[in-house]
Amino acid sequence: MSSDQPVAGPEGLLAVYDQALPAVYGFVVRRCADRRIAEDVTSETFLAAMDSVRRRRDTRPTTPWLIGIARHKLADHWRRAQRTPEPVDDLPDHGDDPWDAELDRMVAHHTLGQLTPIHRSVLTLRYVDDLPVGECAEILGRTVGATEALLTRAKRAFREAYPEPQPQSSGRGGHA
């Protein structure tokens, strides 16, 4: 049995589990504000995958296939969270970070955490996962038009929640 050729059925899922688990969990945890939720979504992903390979024994599980399931499980989570919102903790203070890009990423992540779950999900699917609007709509169970309108509202909410940039010293005539 070659490692390049995926095995079908439940045996195939077991064969890719050790390699796929860190990739699937990594995918989920980068999109969740809470590691507990990321663990739950990862578990739900593998349970759904097992159900799928039991129903369709010719399915050949791969890591990308599992990440696709995880994307759908995240959307399910975000839909549930929209109905029953959970508060999101503030980001931990990491002290002085010399890299502006890292700081911008943290501020953006924090700002996303302040949005409603549906706004957070559509922005993540569209701009973090770089999915076309049609795929976002499919994952969220909405029409393309409704998803475009949702994106517009989500972008507006993000801009309103994003902190105003602090003035930077230009170095000309300013204080050191």
Side-chain angles (χ1 to χ4, degrees):
M1 182 179 343
S2 168
S3 63
D4 293 344
Q5 198 65 301
V7 177
E11 299 79 16
L13 184 58
L14 292 174
V16 300
Y17 178 82
D18 287 337
Q19 170 212 345
L21 179 62
V24 171
Y25 178 74
F27 172 84
V28 174
V29 77
R30 285 188 301 273
R31 288 155 179 81
C32 282
D34 183 333
R35 289 191 184 277
R36 178 187 53 83
I37 292 169
E39 291 168 0
D40 289 348
V41 169
T42 301
S43 294
E44 290 174 22
T45 297
F46 281 94
L47 288 172
M50 185 55 82
D51 287 343
S52 180
V53 297
R54 283 182 176 153
R55 278 192 313 276
R56 293 196 42 130
R57 292 185 103 30
D58 61 333
T59 301
R60 297 185 182 279
T62 63
T63 300
W65 177 74
L66 288 162
I67 288 174
I69 294 172
R71 182 176 282 126
H72 287 277
K73 291 299 172 185
L74 268 171
D76 292 345
H77 163 73
W78 288 326
R79 277 192 291 275
R80 283 190 308 269
Q82 179 66 22
R83 291 188 293 267
T84 55
E86 256 183 52
V88 177
D89 292 336
D90 288 335
L91 289 175
D93 181 17
H94 293 291
D96 293 333
D97 190 351
W99 297 290
D100 288 339
E102 179 66 14
L103 181 59
D104 288 344
R105 185 197 64 76
M106 289 172 60
V107 170
H109 183 76
H110 178 74
T111 303
L112 274 173
Q114 294 176 346
L115 301 180
T116 64
I118 193 68
H119 284 169
R120 191 168 48 245
S121 64
V122 74
L123 290 173
T124 300
L125 290 169
R126 178 67 185 99
Y127 298 108
V128 175
D129 294 345
D130 200 27
L131 295 178
V133 175
E135 283 187 47
C136 296
E138 182 182 325
I139 290 169
L140 295 173
R142 295 173 170 260
T143 65
V144 171
T147 303
E148 287 172 342
L150 177 62
L151 266 169
T152 299
R153 291 189 308 272
K155 288 189 287 189
R156 184 180 319 119
F158 184 88
R159 281 191 299 271
E160 290 171 1
Y162 198 87
E164 289 293 321
Q166 299 300 313
Q168 298 285 326
S169 170
S170 67
R172 290 182 280 162
H175 295 81

